[in-house]
Structure formats: C-alpha cells, structure tokens
Amino acid sequence: MLRHFPEATADSAHRKRDYAIAAFTFICVGASALLEIRASVETQQVLGAIAWICLAGLLLGENRETQMQVVIAVVFATAGEHFASLYMGGYTYRFENVPAYVPPGHGMVYLTAVALARSGFFMRYAKAIAVFVIGVWGTWSLWGVSGYAEQGDAVGALLFCIFLAWLVVGRSPMVYLAAFFITTWLELIGTAVGAWKWAAIDPLLGWPQGNPPSGASAWYCLVDAVAIGGSALVLRGLRRAAHWLTLRRLFP
C-alpha cells in the first residue's frame, strides 16, 4: 500500500538548499501575514512584485522539470483561486479580490513542498512523518465533526479522507506530506490575521466547514498532483514542437 514511499536510508543527502527554500518560504508567509493586517490593495501589489522576484530567484537553481511544475502549479492554482473564491465564494479575501501575491505565493508553496519532500530528513523518516501528519490531521478533522468545535467542519473531514486516498495510491506521497506543513502554517496564520475567511457553509456541498477547514491542505495537494502529472506532458509537447520547428527550418 505504501509502495511509493522511499526506503529509509542513512545516506539520504541533506542539501542546505532544500532547507533554505523551506525556511525562506515559512518566514515569507509569516512576514506577509503581518503586513497584510493593515495592507491596502497597493501594498498587496508591492508584495506581489516582491514575491515574483523571490520565486524567480528560487527557481534559478532548479532543473527544467521542477521549473515547469512550478509554472503549472501557479497557473492551475490561480485559476482555482478565481473559481473557488470569486465565483463560488468558498472563501473571501479582505478586498474580495485575489491578492497580487497569491499566484507567486502558490509557486513558492509548491516549491517548498518539493524541497522538503526530497530533503534528507523527509527521506530518512518518511513513514514516521506520515504517521505524524495522519495523527495530527486526523485529530483535527475528528474535532471538527465531534460537535465540540465552535464551527462544524464536515468539509475538512471529507478532504482528509481524500488526502488519505492520495497518500496510499499517489505516486508522490512525500510531496503531499510536505505540503501539509507549509499549507497548514499558511492557512492558520492567514485566517488568524483576517487575510481571508472561509465560508461557514461550503457553497458547493452545503456542508459546514471550519475557518480554515482541517482538510484545506488537500486542495493544495490537488495542485501538486496536477503540477507533477502535467509537467512531463508539457515538456514532451515543447520538445516535439521544437523538433518540428527545426525540421521546418531545415526542410522549408
């Protein structure tokens, strides 16, 4: 059932770059949350420009496949933000917009999940980390449907079950596990400062959901899955297009 989990080995490399990417993104999330408390739309645009520069800098040291995954993650997540927030009303940002820092922020969050997933620590303790995530996330989800929570969270419990299925059958379980840490930090701090707020009743299912839902990380895992699965197809298509253009130049 856990065939896609790496085997624990003592020689798993600890690359400083992986931990630096993660630390940088965690700090950026915290800093942007503090700035968001009194930020104007103009400030959000400045934060967005800074986030794009940071993302571009982080990607300089990555291979083409990872860079393409980040591009796909940004495009897919941004489209999802407009649908889920502006159209569906599943959650609402302070100015009822999609802040300028959100698209590059998704790129940084995805890259952080990839960096942690391939880090020596995660590779060595993969199954122990899985147990920890399932325990914490599962407890949070159970609390949401226990009747003791101030705001019910049936949606979070459903998303947690979906996450478990991905974790068992998915080809990139380490990325999903790593995404839990950065996205949970992101959601908790973002909702705490009021950068956005989740609707008490999910507009699609009509079920109660927390602020944030306990299973919010599952949405980010969906972005990860699309990015990982789509990058190979896009790169293959680009190679074929480049080959076709070369042939056209050689044989007009």
Side-chain angles (χ1 to χ4, degrees), residues 18-173:
D18 295 332
Y19 302 115
I21 290 173
F24 181 75
T25 302
F26 272 87
I27 292 172
C28 284
V29 168
S32 63
L34 293 176
L35 294 172
E36 174 67 28
I37 295 175
R38 294 183 178 85
S40 62
V41 173
E42 290 73 22
T43 302
Q44 290 182 344
Q45 292 172 345
V46 173
L47 291 175
I50 295 173
W52 280 116
I53 294 172
C54 292
L55 177 59
L58 292 175
L59 287 177
L60 289 177
E62 298 295 327
N63 59 36
R64 185 174 299 178
E65 183 177 7
T66 301
Q67 291 173 346
M68 181 55 67
Q69 288 175 0
V70 170
V71 170
I72 294 174
V74 169
V75 172
F76 183 74
T78 302
E81 290 276 356
H82 282 80
F83 177 78
S85 179
L86 301 186
Y87 179 72
M88 292 294 297
Y91 53 91
T92 306
Y93 288 98
R94 286 176 60 226
F95 298 110
E96 298 184 357
N97 62 347
V98 175
Y101 58 79
V102 168
H106 274 294
M108 293 175 66
V109 166
Y110 175 78
L111 184 58
T112 296
V114 171
L116 285 177
R118 71 192 180 195
S119 68
F121 180 81
F122 267 64
M123 295 293 285
R124 291 186 185 190
Y125 304 107
K127 294 181 180 179
I129 291 172
V131 171
F132 174 81
V133 170
I134 292 172
V136 171
W137 196 345
T139 302
W140 185 5
S141 298
L142 287 174
W143 172 255
V145 295
S146 66
Y148 292 101
E150 182 178 348
Q151 184 170 319
D153 190 18
V155 172
L158 173 63
L159 291 174
F160 172 67
C161 294
I162 293 173
F163 166 78
L164 288 180
W166 281 353
L167 192 64
V168 172
V169 304
R171 294 182 177 275
S172 303

Side-chain angles (χ1 to χ4, degrees), residues 202-226:
D202 178 76
L204 182 61
L205 298 175
W207 293 2
Q209 64 179 359
N211 183 42
S214 61
S217 295
W219 292 121
Y220 294 90
C221 291
L222 174 61
V223 174
D224 298 346
V226 171

